[in-house]
Amino acid sequence: MATAETSIQEPDYVNSPPTLQVRDLVVSFKVENDFPRAVDGISFDLYPNEVLGIVGESGSGKSVTSLAIMRLIPDPPGKIAEGSIKLRGQELLDISYEEMRDVRGNEIAMIFQEPMTALNPVFTVGMQVMETIRTHENVSKDEARKRAIEMLTRVGIPDAAKRLKEYPHQFSGGMRQRAMIAMALVCHPKILIADEPTTALDVTTQAQILDLMLELKQKEEGASIILITHDLAVVAETCHRVVVMYGGKVQEVATVEKLFARPLHPYTKGLLASLPSTHEKKDRLYTIPGNVPSILQMPEGCRFCTRCSEVIDRCHTEEPKLHDIGNGRKVRCHLLEEGING
Amino acid sequence: MTSYFIRRLLLIIPTFLGVTIIAFGITRFLPGGPVEREIMRMRMATASEGVGGGGAGSVLDPTSEMTEAAKKEIEKAFGFDKPIHVAYWDWLKRVCVLDFGTSYNFQEPVWNMIIDRFHISLIFGSLGFLGAYLVSIPLGIFKALRHGSYFDFGSSAIVFIGYSIPGWALGVLLLTFLATDRFADILPLGDIKTGSYQNLPQIIKDIEQDNVIYDDTGTLIWEKMSFTSKLIDRIYHMILPVFCYMMGSFASLTILTKNSLMENLGQDYVRTAFAKGLAPRRVIFVHTLRNSLIPLATGLGHALGYIMAGSYLIEMVFNIDGIGYLGFTSILQRDYTVVMGILSLNVMLTLFGNIFSDILYAVIDPRIRFE
């Protein structure tokens, strides 16, 4: 449902190769003598011009996935144990640290949840934007300043030439997130990873920031966005496709239209049911019972079996496969084989 | 901001009055004050001269208490005859024109005594402080970056030992082993320069081989020595005391640097900096360090007061004739004009140091704005 009226650049799943290919990615964290997996064998593709949503509750492994793509997993204790991350065919896990630095902020940029703390408090906003430019491009200080002012103006910061000299604490939350976006996009990256970019903002600002991100993506040929969120309403407004994660595994992959029209995985159903609806008036919103288990206490069999409303015996013993049911749609659930849901 | 600092400057006045009034009151009411000491001294003198001594004992009836008139006379000499508020007012008026009175014991203007010793304490204190910063900050950074390594544990052990031993106690220990023949007699026992030719370190004797730099008694004639010799001799006397000064703040500064850096390395803005593609060196030494040093830099403002107040025991151990040593002996000898003089100086240094700290804060951390 990506804003159809403005979108001149839609993803082409058939003819263009994916910008980013993640295959069987495993990220483990050392806890005492154990190496539990926060991300356990996830795979997905990101196509040019696409906005891909990664959805899940806290602790489902979505942020770890995004940090792994940037190779920013704190090591120790974390480690990318297995898998492959390819950027336009180039394996990111094999390149040197220096080569990876060229990718960060230049080809793949990232913005974070907390604009309050994500900027360095003792440097001016301008310095922090200019720093990104001067890290990746050999330009003069004046040139970098010009570019920074231009970029800050583009993200909707009024009087950018003056505000360039201000410190983050002099910016409001929304303005700071705009500055973060300016910092991320100033080198024209092909992929923007937005990790809960609007969670810390108030509702009106949220919409503005999302619109801004989409608008800037449209102006950039072939650029795509990975939007990490727990908010399905945000996904519905912005994304083309969605990856639903739970317990470090992909549970369902679908286009936004199909996912909202007919969710297949009980977890996705639960997430959708917990959205407020405009059609029926409910006193209380639905909640999925229980919490995401810690990675140290993942159940055997299906990871969701402890909280699933449609659980069957098999779920407790046998891990379901990720079934490809055509049209790029994938679901990890036994019910599909049992024919109950198929 | 300016109004804040003006207010802070004005607040110095009541604080100064408060501290000095309390101290002045204590000098009045503490037993064993100068009047009593003088009476005691005279009584001892009379007693040793014997009853038949006559003359000097005339103010004193050897068999009974001192006559009231004589006692009044002594009180007057020390300015103790007036009521306390009048005496304090007199003292304050003189302080305003930097007249701190005359030392009871040395019969010398207190101001001159302070001026003569101030630079000595200042040099030792600031060298120690500077040394502590120069060692602690790199060490703290290194420990933070190698957190949990053998180097980190090993240096922590040294830091905790340093933290547990007061500077003056370490001084005694070092003197015992490095300045006596118990282990190695390679450093001087104290003072700030060598007194006699015999005690000169060999290296200076070698430099000055043909020069006659001592008189008949073997006492050094300082003026005849070359600049290099003087410098070497000064440094030679500074090694141990400056080391002890350093140890005083070394431990807490190191741990403060380490903790502050580690705390900042976990902050979101560090992740942002890495995500921008910055080199680790730039992330650590530009982004993180700048934030980590905020608590350390502000400590510099307190240094002045600390240098004075923290030094008296170390100056005692190393027989350095500085402000701390003077203050300490003055208290023991109830030389109250000197005590009050040094106290006033310390109060002013501490108060101005605090304001200086606030200014540093505002300069380093853009978030700080005093209203």
Side-chain angles (χ1 to χ4, degrees):
Chain A
M1 275 182 243
T3 48
E5 59 281 5
T6 56
S7 52
I8 347 132
Q9 298 187 21
E10 285 293 312
D12 181 350
Y13 297 110
V14 184
N15 296 318
S16 51
T19 317
L20 187 78
Q21 280 181 299
V22 177
R23 287 290 171 275
D24 307 315
L25 182 70
V26 176
V27 182
S28 61
F29 285 86
K30 188 175 194 295
V31 182
E32 282 161 13
N33 287 319
D34 203 4
F35 294 89
R37 295 171 162 189
V39 167
D40 192 0
I42 70 159
S43 306
F44 62 87
D45 291 331
L46 176 72
Y47 288 87
N49 298 321
E50 187 181 32
V51 181
L52 176 73
I54 299 183
V55 182
E57 289 165 280
S58 311
S60 56
K62 29 188 220 312
S63 289
V64 175
T65 306
S66 64
L67 290 174
I69 295 169
M70 295 288 274
R71 275 178 49 185
L72 283 175
I73 300 285
D75 176 12
K79 205 178 155 219
I80 300 175
E82 286 166 36
S84 143
I85 301 167
K86 280 188 180 152
L87 176 69
R88 284 180 282 188
Q90 163 82 59
E91 177 59 62
L92 292 184
L93 298 182
D94 288 344
I95 62 176
S96 72
Y97 185 83
E98 289 302 310
E99 287 171 310
M100 191 61 213
R101 272 184 48 211
D102 282 343
V103 173
R104 289 179 189 157
N106 198 19
E107 306 210 45
I108 309 178
M110 196 161 176
I111 58 177
F112 299 97
Q113 180 174 349
E114 278 289 345
M116 297 295 167
T117 53
L119 289 162
N120 193 327
V122 300
F123 294 117
T124 62
V125 171
M127 177 275 185
Q128 297 186 55
V129 177
M130 283 157 65
E131 194 182 32
T132 311
I133 307 171
R134 281 167 66 83
T135 303
H136 297 294
E137 289 165 41
N138 193 13
V139 294
S140 71
K141 222 171 176 175
D142 286 338
E143 176 63 26
R145 181 174 296 113
K146 239 178 73 192
R147 289 261 306 273
I149 293 172
E150 217 172 278
M151 195 65 218
L152 288 171
T153 311
R154 275 182 73 193
V155 298
I157 292 176
D159 206 1
K162 193 174 138 254
R163 304 217 69 182
L164 195 75
K165 294 177 197 127
E166 291 183 7
Y167 291 92
H169 71 272
Q170 290 163 292
F171 279 55
S172 68
M175 281 297 159
R176 267 185 241 191
Q177 199 60 300
R178 283 172 193 269
M180 277 297 291
I181 293 173
M183 210 161 84
L185 297 184
V186 75
C187 286
H188 309 284
K190 286 296 166 219
I191 300 173
L192 174 68
I193 303 176
D195 187 356
E196 308 247 11
T198 57
T199 309
L201 304 174
D202 63 61
V203 184
T204 46
T205 320
Q206 278 185 11
Q208 290 172 2
I209 294 293
L210 288 172
D211 285 346
L212 175 69
M213 279 169 46
L214 294 179
E215 185 196 320
L216 292 173
K217 179 198 88 76
Q218 285 303 335
K219 290 180 183 158
E220 199 74 42
E221 173 78 38
S224 22
I225 295 178
I226 298 178
L227 181 70
I228 291 165
T229 180
H230 60 265
D231 188 344
L232 278 170
V234 167
V235 168
E237 283 166 32
T238 52
C239 297
H240 296 103
R241 281 192 312 136
V242 191
V243 174
V244 180
M245 281 186 73
Y246 185 87
K249 288 189 182 256
V250 173
Q251 304 295 345
E252 184 162 4
V253 183
T255 60
V256 165
E257 292 83 356
K258 295 226 171 89
L259 190 89
F260 279 80
R262 198 160 74 98
L264 292 180
H265 197 288
Y267 180 56
T268 317
K269 290 178 197 167
L271 286 179
L272 283 173
S274 55
L275 278 179
S277 162
T278 45
H279 305 306
E280 20 175 340
K281 200 170 181 313
K282 284 183 274 189
D283 288 338
R284 290 183 69 113
L285 288 173
Y286 173 77
T287 53
I288 303 172
N291 293 310
V292 182
S294 109
I295 54 170
L296 293 169
Q297 291 155 340
M298 277 296 164
E300 292 209 11
C302 175
R303 302 237 155 150
F304 190 55
C305 69
T306 49
R307 300 170 69 194
C308 185
S309 58
E310 300 170 53
V311 64
I312 54 173
D313 288 349
R314 221 176 131 188
C315 301
H316 292 289
T317 51
E318 189 189 332
E319 161 107 59
K321 287 190 192 64
L322 188 64
H323 300 285
D324 191 338
I325 58 171
N327 291 327
R329 187 151 199 199
K330 292 171 188 168
V331 185
R332 187 189 295 278
C333 185
H334 285 313
L335 296 176
L336 226 64
E337 281 170 36
E338 303 283 329
I340 301 167
N341 228 335
Chain B
M1 190 95 134
T2 319
S3 71
Y4 171 83
F5 285 110
I6 291 172
R7 243 180 306 139
R8 283 293 303 268
L9 282 171
L10 289 177
L11 266 173
I12 285 184
I13 298 168
T15 318
F16 180 82
L17 291 179
V19 174
T20 48
I21 286 172
I22 291 170
F24 198 86
I26 291 172
T27 61
R28 279 301 169 113
F29 300 118
L30 209 65
V35 175
E36 283 149 76
R37 287 173 74 94
E38 183 62 19
I39 294 170
M40 186 64 76
R41 197 186 62 77
M42 293 174 89
R43 189 175 290 160
M44 297 287 273
T46 328
S48 64
E49 279 166 20
V51 184
S58 59
V59 287
L60 205 65
D61 181 349
T63 53
S64 69
E65 285 298 298
M66 182 184 258
T67 60
E68 274 305 302
K71 208 168 167 181
K72 278 265 154 24
E73 194 67 24
I74 296 168
E75 281 182 352
K76 199 177 172 194
F78 285 104
F80 274 53
D81 53 336
K82 294 171 193 158
I84 178 163
H85 61 277
V86 179
Y88 177 75
W89 181 242
D90 284 348
W91 177 81
L92 195 64
K93 274 192 292 192
R94 279 185 283 116
V95 166
C96 290
V97 292
L98 292 182
D99 174 10
F100 288 98
T102 308
S103 159
Y104 303 153
N105 288 335
F106 298 95
Q107 298 302 322
E108 213 186 311
V110 172
W111 181 247
N112 293 357
M113 291 173 71
I114 290 176
I115 292 295
D116 284 348
R117 291 165 176 81
F118 188 75
H119 66 280
I120 298 173
S121 294
L122 192 68
I123 288 171
F124 276 90
S126 40
L127 278 179
F129 213 76
L130 195 73
Y133 267 78
L134 286 180
V135 173
S136 301
I137 292 177
L139 181 63
I141 293 171
F142 206 71
K143 279 168 71 67
L145 298 180
R146 297 271 180 281
H147 177 65
S149 67
Y150 288 113
F151 174 81
D152 184 32
F153 284 123
S155 56
S156 285
I158 295 170
V159 165
F160 284 118
I161 292 170
Y163 189 69
S164 327
I165 303 179
W168 57 269
L170 183 71
V172 174
L173 193 75
L174 289 174
L175 281 178
T176 313
F177 284 101
L178 295 176
T180 67
D181 50 15
R182 190 175 294 261
F183 177 70
D185 189 4
I186 49 171
L187 288 166
L189 262 172
D191 212 339
I192 55 170
K193 60 182 185 187
T194 309
S196 71
Y197 182 76
Q198 198 201 331
N199 292 337
L200 267 186
Q202 193 55 45
I203 180 167
I204 297 180
K205 285 183 186 169
D206 290 345
I207 293 173
E208 301 282 347
Q209 41 188 310
D210 295 329
N211 271 347
V212 181
I213 50 166
Y214 50 90
D215 60 17
D216 306 340
T217 57
T219 311
L220 270 184
I221 304 166
W222 191 248
E223 291 75 23
K224 284 194 179 170
M225 283 164 65
S226 71
F227 177 76
T228 327
S229 308
K230 286 188 210 169
L231 188 71
I232 292 173
D233 193 53
R234 291 286 195 195
I235 293 171
Y236 175 65
H237 283 85
M238 274 180 184
I239 296 171
L240 286 183
V242 167
F243 184 75
C244 292
Y245 272 100
M246 269 174 64
M247 288 308 282
S249 39
F250 152 81
S252 45
L253 273 177
T254 306
I255 296 301
L256 185 65
T257 310
K258 183 194 171 190
N259 288 348
S260 179
L261 186 62
M262 284 195 52
E263 190 193 318
N264 274 289
L265 280 173
Q267 296 292 314
D268 286 354
Y269 70 80
V270 173
R271 195 179 53 185
T272 309
F274 276 116
K276 281 157 79 172
L278 301 187
R281 206 182 296 120
R282 186 168 170 87
V283 177
I284 292 164
F285 290 103
V286 177
H287 281 261
T288 320
L289 200 58
R290 174 74 197 274
N291 281 283
S292 314
L293 292 185
I294 291 172
L296 285 155
T298 53
L300 277 175
H302 303 294
L304 266 184
Y306 166 84
I307 286 168
M308 292 301 149
S311 64
Y312 64 94
L313 283 171
I314 295 179
E315 288 187 358
M316 276 265 295
V317 167
F318 288 101
N319 199 23
I320 297 165
D321 196 9
I323 295 281
Y325 190 29
L326 178 67
F328 186 70
T329 45
S330 309
I331 291 172
L332 290 185
Q333 296 169 356
R334 305 288 192 269
D335 197 344
Y336 287 142
T337 46
V338 182
V339 172
M340 289 302 292
I342 292 177
L343 181 87
S344 310
L345 183 77
N346 276 345
V347 170
M348 294 308 274
L349 285 176
T350 309
L351 293 176
F352 275 105
N354 287 346
I355 296 176
F356 183 56
S357 272
D358 282 356
I359 294 175
L360 276 178
Y361 238 128
V363 169
I364 300 170
D365 190 342
R367 286 164 297 182
I368 305 281
R369 284 292 170 267
F370 296 107
E371 292 308 324

